[in-house]
Amino acid sequence: MFKAAAQAFVKRLTADKRFVPNEDPDTELDLLTLVRIKKGSFWTHPKYTVLKSTLPKLVGDKTFSPADKDEEMAVDFRTYRMIGGNVQVKAGDVADAEASADVVDAMSSATIKKKMVDFDCVRETFRGKMIKDDDLKQLKLNKNYTLGFVYERAYNTQPVTLTSSTSCEGKVSGLHNSLLNVGVGMKAEVFTQYKVPENRTFAYSLVEITLNNGKIEIPLETWIHKKRLLSDAIDHDILEKAIDGIEMKENILKLIDKLPESTGGDLLKKLREVLEEDDALSELEDILNESSGPPVSKTVSSFMDILDQSKAPKARDGLCVLVAALDVLPLPLQRSLTSGSPESITVLNQLVESLKDNDEPTLTGSVPAALQPDGDLRWAADLLCSSEETLKTLTDLFDLPPEVLLEVLALAVMGIHKLQGGE
């Protein structure tokens, strides 16, 4: 619920597109906090990892305390997010709202202010400072990662009430119901409400740090969130763009077929273990993309050992596409996909093939239990069979363009199908 409110706040900023929505109110994002930014190998949609350090700590400065100032960003800000059906919601001082929706997230009224650091002071103090080699290694930077520090933070000046209400009379539409089952974005409870204390970070902006032989350089401009990947107006055909993206990467993905038949299952099993470790999937992507040194994770190292023993070096690029696609999806979706039975993944792969052929993918006849209405993988089938209008409703839920969501799902299904021995 907090994530939805933060996303709504950022989306409604008309003059400022540099802010990144915070996902968790308990994540501390004080000024000068360091954030690692992953740009991605195939998709430019960035991911952000908040580090437990600050710019002064990075260079060993224990006394620096820059000037800062506050400004109001929004007075009496409140938000609703509504998805399909009919429910009623009341959030604190938000009036009752009859909403044509199955799921409603709401936030009570709040004043949002932003605190910003004295940029000139920070830049003059830290540019040219050296970072110790050991500290540099801990940052885990490579060609797909950059480093930034928090330049501004947007925060609430008083407690706010967050409310989530879900239709309980069987009205939740197919795709949203199946996403609810795997815990993505929506709560399974009929009604959930809690208060967020004051002074919690709703969003933040970053200034990128570049490194030259270990020396800090600080550009004059701020980091542009999403690098224009997201657009408020979807002005191209979603399905067409998704299919184009699939076809552009399909030939690389097909290199997975170079693996010996017995190796695919071992790699898939190890991939499931990778998903159980924080940040291990991103590390595996970097290793496959040859953009980092030796693996830190033992599970990633085991995955690479299996791949090396297969003596199929060309398969590495195909696996990189699969891992990169999975890394774009939320964790619950990654786990349910990689744990899918061969029968379920085969049916999903058939839906992908129909999508590529510009047919209308449809589930027909008897389907495996995981693809039935309450199954763990029904969300994937519903998504692959969705209309453009349905896909548009998921933009806020996933914070992804709908065409990218559909593309990465299709590529992940195709790659897993290959690891399971499918043609």
Side-chain angles (χ1 to χ4, degrees):
M1 292 190 291
F2 180 83
K3 179 180 177 181
Q7 288 174 345
F9 174 70
V10 170
K11 187 174 182 180
R12 283 159 180 75
L13 292 177
T14 55
D16 242 329
K17 296 299 182 184
R18 64 179 179 269
F19 279 86
V20 181
N22 188 16
E23 296 191 2
D24 185 344
D26 293 329
T27 299
E28 295 184 9
L29 278 154
D30 296 327
L31 296 179
L32 302 183
T33 296
L34 295 175
V35 177
R36 188 168 59 237
I37 307 163
K38 180 181 180 183
K39 301 178 182 179
S41 305
F42 297 94
W43 295 274
T44 56
H45 185 76
K47 286 191 173 185
Y48 303 91
T49 301
V50 179
L51 304 181
K52 295 181 179 180
S53 186
T54 64
L55 182 57
K57 286 182 181 179
L58 184 63
V59 297
D61 190 331
K62 298 180 180 180
T63 60
F64 181 75
S65 180
D68 56 56
K69 62 178 180 178
D70 275 331
E71 290 181 3
E72 284 189 347
M73 295 187 74
V75 178
D76 193 26
F77 175 81
R78 64 188 73 193
T79 182
Y80 298 91
R81 181 179 67 176
M82 300 175 287
I83 304 175
N86 288 287
V87 297
Q88 193 176 64
V89 65
K90 185 175 182 179
D93 58 346
V94 177
D96 287 343
E98 288 287 351
S100 180
D102 293 322
V103 178
V104 172
D105 287 327
M107 186 184 91
S108 62
S109 170
T111 294
I112 307 292
K113 297 180 76 173
K114 70 175 178 180
K115 179 173 285 189
M116 67 199 82
V117 75
D118 184 331
F119 177 73
D120 290 337
C121 174
V122 172
R123 189 167 185 270
E124 289 304 314
T125 300
F126 293 102
R127 58 188 303 215
K129 290 287 183 70
M130 289 291 298
I131 303 175
K132 294 179 181 179
D133 289 342
D134 287 346
D135 293 333
L136 196 56
K137 289 178 182 177
Q138 292 297 319
L139 294 175
K140 299 179 182 179
L141 302 178
N142 56 51
K143 69 178 183 180
N144 289 327
Y145 290 85
T146 189
L147 187 68
F149 66 85
V150 175
Y151 163 60
E152 299 167 298
R153 61 181 291 265
Y155 64 96
N156 55 314
T157 60
Q158 68 260 36
V160 295
T161 299
L162 299 181
T163 304
S164 180
S165 185
T166 304
S167 173
C168 58
E169 298 180 1
K171 297 176 182 176
V172 182
S173 55
L175 177 55
H176 302 117
N177 186 44
S178 57
L179 286 169
L180 185 150
N181 284 342
V182 292
V184 177
M186 293 173 282
K187 299 291 184 183
E189 296 90 346
V190 172
F191 183 83
T192 304
Q193 183 179 83
Y194 68 89
K195 282 192 175 182
V196 176
E198 64 184 78
N199 197 28
R200 298 302 170 97
T201 302
F202 271 71
Y204 55 95
S205 72
L206 299 170
V207 172
E208 184 179 0
I209 299 170
T210 59
L211 299 174
N212 183 11
N213 294 323
K215 286 186 178 180
I216 292 176
E217 292 295 335
I218 301 177
L220 291 172
E221 69 275 5
T222 57
W223 172 262
I224 303 301
H225 178 45
K226 294 183 183 23
K227 294 292 186 182
R228 301 189 61 82
L229 180 63
L230 285 179
S231 172
D232 290 335
I234 300 173
D235 55 3
H236 294 93
D237 183 89
I238 292 173
L239 297 178
E240 182 180 330
K241 290 177 73 173
I243 292 169
D244 287 347
I246 295 165
E247 291 178 344
M248 285 175 62
K249 300 170 186 70
E250 186 177 8
N251 285 336
I252 305 175
L253 190 70
K254 285 180 179 178
L255 294 172
I256 293 176
D257 294 335
K258 300 289 185 182
L259 290 168
E261 187 174 341
S262 61
T263 302
D266 293 337
L267 287 173
L268 183 56
K269 180 180 178 181
K270 191 57 64 174
L271 186 57
R272 296 187 195 111
E273 295 179 20
V274 168
L275 293 177
E276 298 299 321
E277 291 186 24
D278 292 342
D279 297 327
L281 191 68
S282 292
E283 182 183 344
L284 177 58
E285 181 186 348
D286 293 337
I287 297 290
L288 291 169
N289 196 36
E290 298 181 339
S291 58
S292 71
V296 175
S297 162
K298 291 182 179 179
T299 308
V300 171
S301 181
S302 296
F303 183 100
M304 294 307 300
D305 286 344
I306 296 171
L307 178 57
D308 292 340
Q309 290 165 15
S310 72
K311 297 183 178 179
K314 291 185 178 180
R316 184 182 186 122
D317 291 338
L319 289 166
C320 188
V321 173
L322 167 59
V323 170
L326 283 171
D327 200 28
V328 176
L329 294 171
L331 184 58
L333 304 190
Q334 298 169 5
R335 287 174 172 166
S336 60
L337 266 184
T338 54
S339 299
S341 69
E343 295 78 16
S344 298
I345 299 298
T346 295
V347 174
L348 292 177
N349 193 67
Q350 290 167 353
L351 295 178
V352 173
E353 292 300 320
S354 295
L355 180 69
K356 287 162 49 185
D357 292 338
N358 289 306
D359 295 333
E360 292 187 4
T362 307
L363 277 180
T364 57
S366 177
V367 296
L371 297 178
Q372 292 176 13
D374 294 329
D376 291 341
L377 283 174
R378 180 61 181 236
W379 65 269
D382 287 340
L383 208 160
L384 290 169
C385 297
S386 292
S387 66
E388 293 202 0
E389 288 304 313
T390 300
L391 289 168
K392 288 177 185 179
T393 68
L394 299 177
T395 300
D396 284 343
L397 184 61
F398 287 96
D399 196 25
L400 273 175
E403 64 273 14
V404 173
L405 177 62
L406 191 59
E407 177 189 343
V408 296
L409 171 60
L411 291 168
V413 166
M414 294 165 67
I416 293 167
H417 184 60
K418 291 179 180 298
L419 289 180
Q420 290 180 340
E423 296 296 329

